[in-house]
Amino acid sequence: MSIWRVKPVSAFEADMKKSELKKVLGKWSLTAIGVGAIIGGGIFVLTGTGAYYHAGPALALSFIIAGVACVFAALCYSEFASILPVEGSAYAYAYGTIGEIFAWIIGWGLILEYAMGSMTVAVSWSGYFNKLLKMFGIKLPEWLTTDPSSYTGEGFSMNLPAFLIVLFVISILIKGTQSAAKANNLIVIMKVSAIIFVIIAGAFFINPENWSPFIPDATQIIDKNTTHEAYGFGGIVSGAAAIFFAYVGFDAVSTQAGEAKNPKKDVPFAIIASLLICTLLYILVSLVLTGMMNYKDFNPLGKYPDAIKAPVAYAFDIAGQAWAGYIITIAATVGLISVLMVMIMGQSRIFLGMSKDGLIPQVFSKVNPISGTPKTNLMILGAVIATVAAFTPINKLADMTSFGTLFAFTMVCVAVWMLRIKQPNIERTFKVPALPVIAICGICINTYLMINLSKDAQLLSLGWLLIGVIVYFLYGKRNAKLGKQENVE
């Protein structure tokens, strides 16, 4: 039984015909799913970290580099989606081109992106929700908002808001993709409106002197007991790696291909459109923020120690417009719900694809005939994510999520190139222009950003992939449907 066996395109086509998922998503609903996944708390939090610890006012260039890295991968995703419009995203693409072992590793890596990303988002939502309650004079007890290891008191503690928001999102997703898409569309309109508000209102409080020098000279920042290289070209690149988490999720569009009305055309459109929209918004927000506040003022040991935690809201506070903080906090709180929704939905569809192929237990591929959703799959996933988010201290997960994403992006760039060589005559409704150049650029820039992630995140992520390889040989390889067909033949 070969670990390099490839799932033929005809098998994917057979899966599509047998699919019980309901095809209810048009191109704008798919685009909203992409925007819903990308725009979350990251834009309201990571901008301060990226400006102070990495790029200074040149943070806008970091967003451009991260966006370009995504564009190369997005083009490759789009070609694959036009050939194999199935759930499973990069996992399915690799299974149809490179081979089973690579498909498994990518699928395992995508768990880093989606499941761990969901846990991070749930905890972030809890932080924004508690901040919102405090704005209205309500304060929950510490034991109900803190995981056990971070709790300073005695006795039982849990992050209850993080636990409940996951269960709330699961209840929406179980009802059906169409109702979930409608809820997502509404939330996307709200948070995009809030970001446009930040850009327009903030523009009136920009001090151009804060942009000088636009690219500060490379230096070392002393942070508590450690030193940190920052600014210059190196700072711009490390900033791109650090804020990459803000881009995580555009590939979620490809996980919904099985529920798209016209996947071969609409999925490529939605992937590229959502990425371009969000990149433009990110660049403008970073320019406004670093224009409103000097990047040095985000120093957690400086004049405004709390500014780095909520940089956008704090910038308006300093400008004497504290009321804007209410709008930003409400937008971030509501906006994170759609990020969580899309991430869990994406993870469930990846599990659905892997389960159909026999690489994980069959329980994950059961689709409820009434709602047209993998109900049991979602309930198991929700229980795990809610529990981990409520009881585990989540640090390093943003970088680990970025590692899983960058790894998947790199492999998609490799896989689309290989498929173009292996099967040049297969029907493609979308083709990557200048493929060898785009694929090489995508591979190089995504690998380079992986190298620029923190060492702890790299080691933890590689350890996760190693565990995945062990699980594959103990379970996946023996239970794969392709392997069983080989035995019969």
Side-chain angles (χ1 to χ4, degrees):
M1 294 191 335
S2 173
I3 61 173
W4 298 105
R5 56 195 167 212
V6 172
K7 184 175 179 179
V9 174
S10 58
F12 283 109
E13 290 172 345
D15 285 346
M16 284 184 264
K17 289 176 183 175
K18 291 186 292 182
S19 177
E20 298 173 84
L21 297 172
K22 294 183 178 179
K23 296 186 179 295
V24 294
L25 300 174
K27 70 178 180 181
W28 291 112
S29 290
L30 288 165
T31 303
I33 284 172
V35 174
I38 299 168
I39 296 179
I43 188 61
F44 297 112
V45 177
L46 295 177
T47 39
T49 305
Y52 178 69
Y53 285 110
H54 298 281
L59 180 65
L61 299 180
S62 296
F63 274 112
I64 291 171
I65 290 173
V68 168
C70 289
V71 165
F72 293 137
L75 290 168
C76 294
Y77 265 99
S78 297
E79 179 165 325
F80 263 131
S82 74
I83 301 167
L84 301 173
V86 292
E87 66 280 344
S89 184
Y91 154 77
Y93 306 154
Y95 208 172
T97 55
I98 302 175
E100 188 173 280
I101 182 65
F102 260 86
W104 170 268
I105 292 171
I106 288 177
W108 195 254
L110 286 171
I111 297 172
L112 272 180
E113 177 181 351
Y114 287 103
M116 293 190 180
S118 298
M119 297 165 196
T120 308
V121 171
V123 174
S124 297
W125 182 88
S126 175
Y128 273 104
F129 179 68
N130 288 326
K131 183 182 176 185
L132 184 63
L133 291 180
K134 286 176 185 175
M135 284 182 166
F136 293 96
I138 303 169
K139 187 176 180 180
L140 295 176
E142 187 187 1
W143 67 273
L144 273 181
T145 59
T146 312
D147 65 82
S149 68
S150 305
Y151 183 47
T152 55
E154 295 181 359
F156 175 82
S157 74
M158 70 178 292
N159 192 334
L160 183 63
F163 185 85
L164 293 178
I165 192 60
V166 175
L167 299 187
F168 172 70
V169 166
I170 291 294
S171 70
I172 294 173
L173 294 176
I174 284 173
K175 288 179 181 177
T177 301
Q178 193 164 21
S179 59
K182 286 179 180 177
N184 180 66
N185 291 347
L186 180 62
I187 294 171
V188 166
I189 290 169
M190 289 176 63
K191 63 183 177 182
V192 169
S193 300
I195 287 177
I196 292 172
F197 161 79
V198 167
I199 294 166
I200 295 173
F204 290 97
F205 302 98
I206 288 174
N207 178 1
E209 291 180 6
N210 289 331
W211 288 333
S212 181
F214 190 69
I215 303 178
D217 293 333
T219 186
Q220 285 193 333
I221 292 176
I222 299 173
D223 180 29
K224 294 181 180 177
N225 299 319
T226 61
T227 57
H228 179 81
E229 294 288 341
Y231 316 131
F233 177 74
I236 293 171
V237 175
S238 65
I243 54 92
F244 194 84
F245 182 72
Y247 280 97
V248 168
F250 81 82
D251 53 324
V253 176
S254 65
T255 68
Q256 302 305 126
E259 290 145 286
K261 294 176 184 174
N262 187 6
K264 291 193 174 186
K265 289 185 178 179
D266 292 350
V267 172
F269 172 88
I271 288 172
I272 295 170
S274 60
L275 182 58
L276 292 177
I277 290 167
C278 295
T279 300
L280 177 61
L281 291 175
Y282 282 1
I283 292 167
L284 292 174
V285 168
S286 61
L287 285 171
V288 167
L289 180 67
T290 53
M292 292 178 72
M293 276 184 73
N294 190 288
Y295 69 95
K296 293 178 182 176
D297 288 338
F298 292 113
N299 183 356
L301 304 176
K303 186 178 178 183
Y304 307 109
D306 294 328
I308 200 164
K309 296 177 184 176
V312 181
Y314 215 89
F316 278 95
D317 282 347
I318 293 171
Q321 309 298 317
W323 57 272
Y326 285 84
I327 294 175
I328 293 161
T329 304
I330 291 169
T333 306
V334 175
L336 281 170
I337 295 174
S338 73
V339 180
L340 188 59
M341 191 183 299
V342 174
M343 283 194 160
I344 294 176
M345 190 157 57
Q347 179 63 71
S348 69
R349 284 3 179 226
I350 290 164
F351 276 171
L352 178 64
M354 295 176 78
S355 179
K356 280 182 178 179
D357 294 326
L359 295 176
I360 60 175
Q362 294 299 301
V363 67
F364 290 100
S365 59
K366 292 179 180 177
V367 175
N368 184 285
I370 299 171
S371 65
T373 60
K375 185 176 178 180
T376 308
N377 177 336
L378 283 164
M379 291 175 70
I380 295 170
L381 201 53
V384 172
I385 292 170
T387 304
V388 174
F391 294 101
T392 308
I394 299 184
N395 47 23
K396 305 294 182 188
L397 280 187
D399 273 3
M400 287 181 71
T401 304
S402 295
F403 185 97
T405 308
L406 289 164
F407 179 75
F409 286 2
T410 303
M411 296 317 302
V412 166
C413 291
V414 172
V416 77
W417 195 4
M418 287 184 66
L419 186 62
R420 188 78 75 85
I421 294 168
K422 283 184 175 181
Q423 298 190 47
N425 298 321
I426 198 169
E427 183 189 352
R428 294 168 169 85
T429 54
F430 177 89
K431 292 184 76 171
V432 178
L435 177 62
V437 176
I438 295 293
I440 290 170
C441 288
I443 293 164
C444 291
I445 196 167
N446 285 297
T447 303
Y448 188 56
L449 289 175
M450 266 193 284
I451 293 168
N452 277 276
L453 290 170
S454 68
K455 289 288 183 285
D456 285 351
Q458 290 174 3
L459 291 173
L460 287 169
S461 300
L462 290 171
W464 173 260
L465 293 177
L466 181 61
I467 292 170
V469 172
I470 294 169
V471 172
Y472 168 73
F473 282 104
L474 290 178
Y475 183 90
K477 185 172 182 288
R478 284 196 256 173
N479 292 278
K481 288 185 178 178
L482 280 184
K484 291 178 179 178
Q485 287 173 7
E486 284 179 3
N487 291 339
V488 170
E489 289 168 5

